[in-house]
Amino acid sequence: MTKVELIAAVANDANLTKKDAEAAVNSALNAITAALKDGEVMLLENVRFMKGETKNDPELSKELASLAEIFVNDAFGTAHRAHSSTAGVADYLPAVCGFLVEKEVSIMGKALADPTRPFVAILGGAKVSDKLNVINNLLEKVDTLIIGGGMAYTFLAAKGYSVGKSLLDNEKIDYCRDMMAKAEAKGVKLLLPVDTVVAADFPNPIDAPVDVETVDVTAIPADKEGLDIGEETRKLFADAVKSAKTVVWNGPMGVFENPTLAAGTLAVAKAMAESDATTVIGGGDSAAAVQQMGLGDKMTHISTGGGASLEYLEGKELPGIAVIQNA
């Protein structure tokens, strides 16, 4: 039973107003908290259901803080949210990080702020618009930036290539040109696919059999769509990884959920697994792919936060980390 349901039940059974029922429930909750012995744990309901949580309501933050003497945040996956339970509670309690958050911040933080070079970043996924600030921020830090996945086709279009039915973010073509120019000006090697695996249609369901062929990126048929990087691109990307000392990866190289279209993502994962570099997987689909391929234990670190790690790569300050005293 959630707290909301409990308040309603108390109000009904004791013929109390909602306000008086809530006060009674809070009093009982405080009594349970006060009675806890060393080593005992009290688990609260999912606070996302509580009014004011997502708005970082001071009253809720204060109420949560009243149940404890110290706030330990070990949820990196929610650290990018300025909510009562992730940030607001720290206004009323000393805030420290747990072991997981400490690991996330120390490994990802060093990889971005003080990487052992050469530093290679790999970005994939569907849309350029999802990673605008990530691309821009990483070009300030890396020696090589690899672009794969669906977002690569907008970069290829920016180079003047026809991409057929492939994913294309028309509004970001000029942005891609600007990023390629920035990479050149900064001496950053920006690697794009040189060949691609194409099919007539996106597989439906996603793991359905699909007929494919591999073509040069300058010769993508008008009636086909790119769904994975080709063999030559796999070698190109893998060689860049092999020469690196720090590698950060966010976003698959293709539709890895389909066995026929997983070779590009697998090639990158294997290159990282076989590398002596510090290898960091930025959560989300990349983490899922690496685990699915049985290579998770070969990586230095797999982030537990997709959204949080993405914002970290953008260079943003995460609200849930900013309030921690020892982060």
Side-chain angles (χ1 to χ4, degrees):
M1 180 180 291
T2 68
K3 184 178 178 183
V4 172
E5 292 169 335
L6 182 58
I7 290 171
V10 169
N12 182 61
D13 293 344
N15 195 26
L16 297 174
T17 65
K18 181 179 177 182
K19 183 176 181 180
D20 288 341
E22 184 171 5
V25 169
N26 285 341
S27 177
L29 187 61
N30 289 331
I32 294 171
T33 304
L36 287 175
K37 298 181 178 63
D38 289 348
E40 291 185 335
V41 173
M42 180 176 68
L43 178 65
L44 299 181
E45 65 175 309
N46 186 341
V47 292
R48 289 293 292 274
F49 292 111
M50 300 181 76
K51 185 178 179 181
E53 160 66 1
T54 59
K55 294 181 179 180
N56 196 11
D57 179 67
E59 287 303 313
L60 176 58
S61 300
K62 191 173 183 178
E63 180 183 340
L64 293 173
S66 71
L67 301 174
E69 297 174 342
I70 189 169
F71 171 52
V72 181
N73 187 352
D74 211 21
F76 182 75
T78 62
H80 59 306
R81 297 171 179 156
H83 293 177
S84 287
S85 66
T86 60
V89 69
D91 291 336
Y92 306 96
L93 287 176
V96 297
C97 66
F99 295 126
L100 175 62
V101 167
E102 180 184 37
K103 183 180 180 184
E104 293 270 13
V105 172
S106 62
I107 294 179
M108 290 191 69
K110 184 179 188 308
L112 294 172
D114 185 27
T116 305
R117 298 186 181 276
F119 178 17
V120 174
I122 308 165
L123 294 179
K127 296 180 180 179
V128 174
S129 56
D130 293 339
K131 295 187 171 75
L132 291 176
N133 295 328
V134 176
I135 296 168
N136 192 44
N137 186 49
L138 286 176
L139 284 175
E140 301 286 344
K141 303 176 181 296
V142 302
D143 300 295
T144 299
L145 179 61
I146 295 173
I147 303 288
M151 64 189 296
Y153 299 101
T154 303
F155 277 88
L156 294 173
K159 289 173 68 73
Y161 302 152
S162 173
V163 297
K165 293 163 55 180
S166 306
L167 279 175
L168 180 61
D169 202 339
N170 278 300
E171 295 182 357
K172 298 299 181 288
I173 289 177
D174 286 342
Y175 172 85
C176 290
R177 290 196 186 101
D178 290 344
M179 291 301 99
M180 289 188 287
K182 179 176 180 176
E184 184 175 2
K186 289 191 164 291
V188 174
K189 187 180 293 184
L190 197 155
L191 298 181
L192 295 171
V194 295
D195 60 349
T196 184
V197 177
V198 298
D201 295 292
F202 194 92
N204 185 21
I206 200 167
D207 58 350
V210 57
D211 292 326
V212 301
E213 64 174 317
T214 301
V215 299
D216 191 274
V217 293
T218 63
I220 298 175
D223 61 346
K224 294 194 175 181
E225 112 179 72
L227 298 172
D228 193 16
I229 57 174
E231 185 175 354
E232 292 304 313
T233 303
R234 292 170 217 154
K235 293 177 183 176
L236 175 68
F237 289 2
D239 286 344
V241 170
K242 290 174 184 176
S243 67
K245 294 298 182 184
T246 304
V247 186
V248 174
W249 179 24
N250 184 285
M253 298 293 99
V255 188
F256 73 93
E257 299 92 341
N258 188 299
T260 306
L261 302 169
T265 301
L266 177 60
V268 169
K270 287 184 67 176
M272 291 180 67
E274 295 168 359
S275 170
D276 292 328
T278 297
T279 51
V280 180
I281 311 297
D285 286 341
S286 306
V290 168
Q291 298 289 17
Q292 176 182 305
M293 293 166 180
L295 297 172
D297 61 346
K298 303 294 184 182
M299 306 299 167
T300 304
H301 180 61
I302 299 177
S303 178
T304 57
S309 64
L310 200 58
E311 292 197 13
Y312 211 75
L313 292 176
E314 289 181 29
K316 289 184 177 180
E317 182 177 66
L318 306 186
I321 302 299
V323 298
I324 293 174
Q325 298 170 1
N326 63 339

